[in-house]
Every structure is written in C-alpha cells, then in structure tokens.
Amino acid sequence: MWRCSALLLAGAGFLATPVGVEAQPVPMESRTVTVVTGDWPPYVTQSGFPHGPMAEVIDRVFNDAGYQVKYVFQPWKRSKDQVLEGDADVLMPAYCSPDRADVYLCSDTVITGKQVLFHRVDTPLDWASVDDLRGYVIGGTLGYYYGKAFEAAEKQGKLQIMRIASDATNMRLLMKGRIQVYPQDKAVGFAMLHELYPPERWAEITCNEKPLHKQSLHLLFTRATPRGAKLQKVFNKGLLHLRHTGELSQIMNNLTQRNEIMPVGTSQQGARPEAQSSGTTLKKAGRPPQLAPKE
C-alpha cells in the first residue's frame, strides 16, 4: 500500500514538473513606482528636489506605503503611450477627461488648475465663447486637453490651431507674435514666462482671466496591468490622509501664496498667477526665487 502511494506521488510530481525544466521563482512585485511626466513648472519640474509640489505629494504618499518613486521627464505624448501600454506606472499631472478615463485609471483630485488664454499685450483679447476665438492663430501642445467646447471647435475646423510638442516653444512663438493666443494653466504660463525671459520682458505677455477650462489635476495610472489599479488605491488612500491632516494644503499652498511675481508697474491683468515652482536634479533652471515650491 505504501509502495503504491509512493508511486502515485512520484507520478504526480513527474506530471507537475517537466523534465529538464527548473522551477522558476515567483517574481516579487517591484517597489519602485515609475512616474512619467514633463517639465511643467510650477506643478512639476526637473530642476531641484523635490520635483515640485505634485511630486512632493506623490513621494510622501508612496514612501509612506513602502515604495520608492522614479521620475522620468520626457515628451508628453511618449509618456501617455508608455502608461497606456503598461511600460510605466503613472502619468502626471493631467486632466481626467472622459476620453482619458476610458483608457487610464484616474486618481482622486490633487488640485484644481485654471486654464486661461495667454496673449501679447499688444494683441487685445476679449472673448465670451470659443466662437469668439475664430480668426486668431492659436498655439497648442500635442496631447493636451483644452475643454469640451475648445476640442469640439478644433475637430470641426472652426479654430486655427497649431499644435506642437513643446510648451516652451509655444510661449516663445507667442512672444515673437507667431501665434496670437496660447491656452495654458495660469500658474504654469507665468512660471514659464519667467523662466524663459528676463524680467524686463515679462510685461509683454498677459492673460485673459476668463477660464477656458477649469478642472482638477490627477495622476493617470495604467490599465494595462493589475499593478495600476493597486497603485491607484494606494495613492488615493494616502492622498486622503494628507488631506485630512492638512499636509496636502500645506504643500499646495506654495502654488497660491507666492503670487506677487510680476514686476512693479506692469499690467495687472494676469499679474497675480498662482505661482510656485519645482525641481529636479537634471538641470538648474535659474528661476527667480519667488518660483520655488509639476503635466
């Protein structure tokens, strides 16, 4: 009886383990969260550490949960594709548009940004609806979402929009008068202006205070692997804790308290953006000290 049982067990083992194939250890889950993003100060930036207030929130949440965070700065479209395919865990900061919610997992709201229309002071801009923007040469960034009405008008060919890959290039084109209107988050636009140009040129650019689009900023997690949903839950739980303790407000206050960033005597329209700044160790941007707090 014992001999028969031994033979049965040996047979079962033979069937379970193919000849010549060693049992492979189960891979451990990576404890490094890969976040892909672009240089989008003051929310997130390559210059200094932490990489802006958005990155500070992410670091705080995932470090407390036992993860390390790796930031990769690259073009927005490449980041979107990598998270979509599961080659990276998180894309940030981003609006959670309906189309994006279909292909990514959106985190809870981190902060709400205000998207406005930047223009040169010698190119007046007074608008009530997107239809009023007809006839203007508008700059846009590939992969960015500018609100339902704007996106619909663009698809219908009602607006003259030049989309390129670089935010900074759009600001340069605006300064040169190659484009007349540039939609951008208000804080980001003014931080960019101050990084690219000396103070004596800041007064050449302003913004119309009417929001083109006002929507919360999120992290977008991959749907391509189960890891995305797990990390989303970890982040939302940690974010809620930071909100309840008041730490989230303390971090994000850098975006709203440092708002006197236009030189004295310049145009007051658009002169009080919710300023802040961020950092990464890859480059020293030389921003004014007011921009020291990031898609």
Coordinates of all heavy atoms in Angstrom, one line a residue, residues 194-249:
H194 N 8.6 83.5 -16.9 CA 9.7 83.9 -16.0 C 10.9 83.1 -16.2 O 12.0 83.6 -15.9 CB 9.2 83.9 -14.6 CG 8.2 85.0 -14.3 ND1 7.7 85.2 -13.0 CD2 7.4 85.7 -15.1 CE1 6.8 86.2 -13.1 NE2 6.6 86.5 -14.4
E195 N 10.8 81.9 -16.6 CA 12.0 81.0 -16.8 C 12.6 81.4 -18.1 O 13.9 81.3 -18.2 CB 11.6 79.6 -16.7 CG 12.7 78.6 -17.0 CD 12.3 77.2 -16.9 OE1 11.3 76.9 -16.3 OE2 13.1 76.3 -17.3
L196 N 11.8 81.7 -19.1 CA 12.4 81.8 -20.5 C 12.9 83.2 -20.7 O 13.8 83.4 -21.6 CB 11.3 81.5 -21.5 CG 10.8 80.1 -21.6 CD1 9.6 79.9 -22.5 CD2 11.9 79.1 -22.0
Y197 N 12.4 84.2 -20.0 CA 12.7 85.6 -20.4 C 13.1 86.4 -19.1 O 12.7 86.1 -18.0 CB 11.5 86.3 -21.0 CG 11.2 85.7 -22.4 CD1 10.1 84.7 -22.5 CD2 11.9 86.0 -23.5 CE1 9.8 84.2 -23.7 CE2 11.6 85.5 -24.8 CZ 10.6 84.5 -24.9 OH 10.3 84.0 -26.1
P198 N 13.9 87.5 -19.3 CA 14.3 88.3 -18.2 C 13.1 89.2 -17.8 O 12.2 89.4 -18.5 CB 15.4 89.2 -18.8 CG 15.1 89.2 -20.3 CD 14.6 87.9 -20.6
P199 N 13.2 89.7 -16.6 CA 12.1 90.5 -16.0 C 11.6 91.6 -16.9 O 10.4 92.0 -16.9 CB 12.6 91.0 -14.7 CG 13.6 90.0 -14.3 CD 14.3 89.5 -15.5
E200 N 12.5 92.3 -17.6 CA 12.1 93.4 -18.4 C 11.2 93.0 -19.6 O 10.5 93.9 -20.2 CB 13.3 94.2 -18.9 CG 14.3 93.3 -19.8 CD 15.4 92.7 -19.0 OE1 15.2 92.5 -17.8 OE2 16.4 92.4 -19.6
R201 N 11.0 91.7 -19.8 CA 10.1 91.3 -20.9 C 8.8 90.7 -20.4 O 7.9 90.4 -21.2 CB 10.9 90.3 -21.8 CG 12.1 90.9 -22.5 CD 12.4 90.2 -23.8 NE 11.4 90.5 -24.8 CZ 11.3 89.9 -26.0 NH1 12.3 89.0 -26.3 NH2 10.3 90.1 -26.8
W202 N 8.7 90.5 -19.1 CA 7.5 89.9 -18.6 C 6.2 90.7 -18.9 O 5.2 90.1 -19.1 CB 7.6 89.7 -17.1 CG 8.7 88.8 -16.7 CD1 9.4 87.9 -17.5 CD2 9.2 88.5 -15.3 NE1 10.3 87.2 -16.7 CE2 10.2 87.5 -15.4 CE3 8.8 89.1 -14.1 CZ2 10.9 87.1 -14.3 CZ3 9.5 88.6 -13.0 CH2 10.5 87.6 -13.1
A203 N 6.3 92.0 -19.0 CA 5.1 92.8 -19.2 C 4.6 92.7 -20.6 O 3.5 93.2 -20.9 CB 5.4 94.3 -18.9
E204 N 5.3 92.0 -21.5 CA 4.8 91.9 -22.9 C 3.7 90.8 -23.0 O 3.0 90.8 -24.0 CB 6.0 91.5 -23.8 CG 7.1 92.6 -23.9 CD 8.2 92.2 -24.8 OE1 7.9 91.6 -25.9 OE2 9.4 92.5 -24.4
I205 N 3.6 90.0 -22.0 CA 2.7 88.9 -22.1 C 1.7 89.0 -20.9 O 2.1 89.3 -19.8 CB 3.4 87.5 -22.0 CG1 4.4 87.3 -23.2 CG2 2.4 86.3 -22.0 CD1 3.7 87.2 -24.5
T206 N 0.4 88.7 -21.2 CA -0.6 88.7 -20.1 C -1.6 87.6 -20.4 O -1.3 86.8 -21.3 CB -1.3 90.1 -20.0 OG1 -2.2 90.1 -18.9 CG2 -2.1 90.4 -21.3
C207 N -2.6 87.5 -19.7 CA -3.6 86.5 -19.9 C -5.0 87.1 -19.7 O -5.2 88.1 -18.9 CB -3.4 85.3 -19.1 SG -3.9 85.5 -17.3
N208 N -6.0 86.6 -20.4 CA -7.4 86.9 -20.1 C -7.8 86.1 -18.9 O -7.7 84.8 -18.9 CB -8.2 86.6 -21.4 CG -9.6 87.1 -21.2 OD1 -10.4 86.5 -20.4 ND2 -10.0 88.1 -21.9
E209 N -8.5 86.7 -17.9 CA -8.8 86.0 -16.7 C -10.0 85.0 -16.9 O -10.2 84.1 -16.0 CB -9.1 87.0 -15.6 CG -7.9 87.7 -15.1 CD -6.9 86.8 -14.3 OE1 -7.4 85.8 -13.9 OE2 -5.8 87.2 -14.2
K210 N -10.7 85.1 -17.9 CA -11.8 84.2 -18.1 C -11.3 82.8 -18.3 O -10.5 82.5 -19.2 CB -12.7 84.6 -19.3 CG -13.8 83.6 -19.7 CD -14.6 84.0 -20.9 CE -15.6 83.0 -21.3 NZ -16.6 82.6 -20.3
P211 N -11.7 81.8 -17.5 CA -11.2 80.4 -17.7 C -11.6 79.8 -19.0 O -12.8 79.8 -19.3 CB -11.7 79.6 -16.5 CG -12.2 80.7 -15.5 CD -12.6 81.9 -16.4
L212 N -10.7 79.3 -19.8 CA -11.0 78.4 -20.9 C -11.5 77.1 -20.4 O -12.4 76.5 -20.9 CB -9.8 78.2 -21.8 CG -10.0 77.2 -23.0 CD1 -11.0 77.8 -24.0 CD2 -8.6 77.0 -23.6
H213 N -10.9 76.6 -19.3 CA -11.1 75.3 -18.8 C -10.6 75.3 -17.4 O -9.5 75.7 -17.1 CB -10.3 74.3 -19.7 CG -10.5 72.9 -19.3 ND1 -11.7 72.2 -19.2 CD2 -9.5 71.9 -19.0 CE1 -11.5 71.0 -18.9 NE2 -10.2 70.8 -18.7
K214 N -11.5 74.9 -16.5 CA -11.1 74.8 -15.1 C -11.4 73.4 -14.6 O -12.6 73.0 -14.5 CB -11.9 75.8 -14.3 CG -11.4 76.0 -12.8 CD -12.0 77.2 -12.2 CE -11.4 77.4 -10.8 NZ -12.1 78.5 -10.1
Q215 N -10.4 72.6 -14.3 CA -10.6 71.2 -14.0 C -9.5 70.7 -13.1 O -8.4 71.2 -13.1 CB -10.7 70.4 -15.3 CG -11.2 69.0 -15.0 CD -11.5 68.2 -16.3 OE1 -12.0 68.9 -17.2 NE2 -11.2 67.0 -16.4
S216 N -9.8 69.7 -12.3 CA -8.9 69.2 -11.4 C -7.7 68.4 -12.0 O -7.9 67.9 -13.1 CB -9.6 68.2 -10.4 OG -10.4 67.3 -11.1
L217 N -6.6 68.4 -11.4 CA -5.4 67.7 -11.8 C -5.3 66.4 -11.1 O -5.6 66.3 -9.9 CB -4.2 68.5 -11.6 CG -4.1 69.8 -12.4 CD1 -2.8 70.6 -12.0 CD2 -4.0 69.5 -13.9
H218 N -4.9 65.3 -11.8 CA -4.9 64.0 -11.3 C -3.6 63.3 -11.7 O -2.8 63.8 -12.5 CB -6.1 63.2 -11.9 CG -7.4 63.8 -11.7 ND1 -8.3 63.2 -10.7 CD2 -8.1 64.8 -12.2 CE1 -9.4 64.0 -10.7 NE2 -9.3 64.9 -11.6
L219 N -3.4 62.1 -11.2 CA -2.5 61.1 -11.7 C -3.3 60.1 -12.5 O -4.4 59.7 -12.2 CB -1.8 60.3 -10.5 CG -0.6 61.0 -9.8 CD1 -1.0 62.3 -9.2 CD2 -0.1 60.0 -8.8
L220 N -2.7 59.7 -13.6 CA -3.3 58.7 -14.5 C -2.5 57.4 -14.4 O -1.3 57.4 -14.7 CB -3.3 59.2 -16.0 CG -4.0 60.5 -16.3 CD1 -4.0 60.7 -17.8 CD2 -5.4 60.5 -15.7
F221 N -3.1 56.3 -13.9 CA -2.5 55.1 -13.7 C -2.8 54.1 -14.9 O -3.8 54.2 -15.5 CB -3.0 54.4 -12.4 CG -2.5 55.1 -11.2 CD1 -3.3 56.2 -10.7 CD2 -1.4 54.7 -10.5 CE1 -2.9 56.8 -9.6 CE2 -1.0 55.4 -9.4 CZ -1.8 56.5 -8.9
T222 N -1.9 53.2 -15.2 CA -2.0 52.3 -16.3 C -3.2 51.3 -16.0 O -3.4 50.9 -14.9 CB -0.7 51.5 -16.6 OG1 -0.9 50.7 -17.7 CG2 -0.3 50.6 -15.4
R223 N -3.9 51.0 -17.1 CA -4.9 49.9 -17.1 C -4.4 48.6 -17.6 O -5.0 47.6 -17.6 CB -6.2 50.3 -17.9 CG -7.1 51.4 -17.2 CD -8.3 51.6 -18.1 NE -9.2 52.5 -17.5 CZ -10.2 52.2 -16.7 NH1 -10.4 50.9 -16.4 NH2 -11.1 53.1 -16.2
A224 N -3.1 48.7 -18.2 CA -2.6 47.5 -18.9 C -2.2 46.4 -18.0 O -2.1 45.3 -18.4 CB -1.4 48.0 -19.7
T225 N -2.0 46.7 -16.7 CA -1.6 45.6 -15.7 C -2.4 45.8 -14.4 O -2.8 46.9 -14.1 CB -0.1 45.7 -15.4 OG1 0.1 47.0 -14.6 CG2 0.8 45.7 -16.6
P226 N -2.6 44.7 -13.7 CA -3.3 44.8 -12.4 C -2.6 45.8 -11.4 O -3.2 46.3 -10.5 CB -3.3 43.4 -11.8 CG -3.1 42.5 -13.1 CD -2.2 43.3 -14.0
R227 N -1.3 46.0 -11.6 CA -0.5 46.9 -10.7 C -1.0 48.3 -10.8 O -1.0 49.0 -9.7 CB 1.0 46.8 -11.2 CG 1.9 47.7 -10.5 CD 3.3 47.5 -11.0 NE 4.2 48.6 -10.7 CZ 4.9 48.6 -9.6 NH1 4.8 47.7 -8.7 NH2 5.8 49.6 -9.3
G228 N -1.6 48.7 -11.9 CA -2.1 50.1 -12.0 C -3.2 50.3 -11.0 O -3.3 51.3 -10.3
A229 N -4.2 49.4 -10.9 CA -5.3 49.5 -10.0 C -4.8 49.5 -8.6 O -5.4 50.2 -7.7 CB -6.3 48.4 -10.3
K230 N -3.8 48.7 -8.3 CA -3.3 48.6 -6.9 C -2.7 49.9 -6.5 O -2.9 50.4 -5.4 CB -2.3 47.4 -6.8 CG -1.7 47.3 -5.4 CD -0.7 46.1 -5.3 CE -0.2 46.0 -3.9 NZ 0.8 44.8 -3.8
L231 N -1.9 50.4 -7.4 CA -1.2 51.7 -7.1 C -2.2 52.9 -7.0 O -2.0 53.8 -6.1 CB -0.1 52.0 -8.1 CG 1.1 51.1 -8.1 CD1 2.0 51.4 -9.3 CD2 1.8 51.1 -6.8
Q232 N -3.2 52.8 -7.7 CA -4.3 53.8 -7.7 C -4.9 53.8 -6.3 O -5.1 54.9 -5.7 CB -5.3 53.6 -8.7 CG -6.5 54.6 -8.7 CD -7.7 54.1 -9.4 OE1 -8.0 52.9 -9.4 NE2 -8.4 55.0 -10.1
K233 N -5.2 52.7 -5.8 CA -5.8 52.6 -4.4 C -4.8 53.0 -3.3 O -5.2 53.7 -2.4 CB -6.2 51.1 -4.2 CG -7.4 50.6 -5.0 CD -7.7 49.2 -4.7 CE -8.9 48.7 -5.6 NZ -9.2 47.3 -5.4
V234 N -3.6 52.7 -3.5 CA -2.6 53.1 -2.5 C -2.5 54.6 -2.5 O -2.5 55.3 -1.4 CB -1.2 52.5 -2.8 CG1 -0.1 53.2 -2.0 CG2 -1.2 51.0 -2.6
F235 N -2.4 55.2 -3.7 CA -2.3 56.7 -3.8 C -3.6 57.4 -3.2 O -3.4 58.3 -2.4 CB -2.1 57.1 -5.2 CG -1.9 58.6 -5.3 CD1 -0.7 59.2 -5.0 CD2 -3.0 59.4 -5.8 CE1 -0.6 60.6 -5.1 CE2 -2.8 60.8 -5.9 CZ -1.6 61.4 -5.5
N236 N -4.7 56.9 -3.6 CA -6.0 57.6 -3.1 C -6.1 57.5 -1.6 O -6.5 58.5 -1.0 CB -7.2 57.0 -3.8 CG -7.4 57.4 -5.2 OD1 -6.8 58.3 -5.7 ND2 -8.2 56.6 -6.0
K237 N -5.7 56.4 -1.1 CA -5.7 56.3 0.4 C -4.8 57.2 1.1 O -5.1 57.9 2.0 CB -5.4 54.8 0.8 CG -5.5 54.6 2.3 CD -5.2 53.1 2.6 CE -5.2 52.9 4.1 NZ -4.9 51.5 4.5
G238 N -3.5 57.3 0.5 CA -2.6 58.2 1.1 C -2.9 59.7 0.9 O -2.7 60.5 1.8
L239 N -3.5 60.0 -0.3 CA -3.9 61.4 -0.5 C -5.0 61.8 0.4 O -5.0 62.9 0.9 CB -4.4 61.5 -2.0 CG -4.8 62.8 -2.5 CD1 -3.6 63.7 -2.6 CD2 -5.5 62.7 -3.9
L240 N -5.9 60.9 0.7 CA -7.0 61.3 1.7 C -6.4 61.5 3.0 O -6.9 62.5 3.7 CB -8.0 60.1 1.7 CG -9.2 60.3 2.6 CD1 -10.1 61.5 2.1 CD2 -10.0 59.0 2.7
H241 N -5.4 60.8 3.4 CA -4.8 61.0 4.7 C -4.1 62.4 4.7 O -4.3 63.1 5.7 CB -3.7 59.9 5.0 CG -2.9 60.2 6.2 ND1 -3.4 60.0 7.5 CD2 -1.6 60.6 6.4 CE1 -2.5 60.3 8.4 NE2 -1.4 60.6 7.7
L242 N -3.4 62.7 3.7 CA -2.7 64.1 3.6 C -3.8 65.2 3.6 O -3.5 66.2 4.2 CB -1.9 64.2 2.3 CG -0.6 63.3 2.2 CD1 0.1 63.6 1.0 CD2 0.3 63.5 3.4
R243 N -4.9 65.0 3.0 CA -6.0 66.0 3.0 C -6.5 66.2 4.4 O -6.7 67.3 4.9 CB -7.0 65.6 2.0 CG -8.2 66.6 1.9 CD -9.1 66.3 0.8 NE -8.5 66.7 -0.5 CZ -8.2 65.9 -1.5 NH1 -8.4 64.6 -1.3 NH2 -7.7 66.3 -2.6
H244 N -6.8 65.1 5.1 CA -7.3 65.1 6.5 C -6.4 65.8 7.5 O -6.8 66.4 8.4 CB -7.8 63.7 6.9 CG -9.0 63.3 6.3 ND1 -9.5 61.9 6.4 CD2 -9.9 63.9 5.5 CE1 -10.6 61.8 5.7 NE2 -10.9 63.0 5.2
T245 N -5.1 65.5 7.3 CA -4.1 66.1 8.2 C -3.7 67.5 7.9 O -3.1 68.2 8.7 CB -2.8 65.2 8.2 OG1 -2.2 65.2 6.9 CG2 -3.1 63.8 8.7
G246 N -4.2 68.0 6.8 CA -3.8 69.3 6.4 C -2.5 69.4 5.6 O -2.1 70.5 5.2
E247 N -1.8 68.3 5.5 CA -0.5 68.4 4.8 C -0.6 68.7 3.3 O 0.2 69.3 2.7 CB 0.2 67.0 5.0 CG 0.7 66.7 6.4 CD 1.3 65.3 6.5 OE1 2.5 65.2 6.2 OE2 0.5 64.4 6.9
L248 N -1.7 68.2 2.7 CA -1.9 68.5 1.3 C -2.0 70.0 1.0 O -1.4 70.5 0.1 CB -3.2 67.8 0.8 CG -3.5 67.9 -0.7 CD1 -2.3 67.4 -1.6 CD2 -4.8 67.2 -1.1
S249 N -2.8 70.7 1.9 CA -3.0 72.1 1.8 C -1.6 72.8 2.0 O -1.3 73.8 1.3 CB -4.0 72.6 2.7 OG -5.3 72.1 2.5

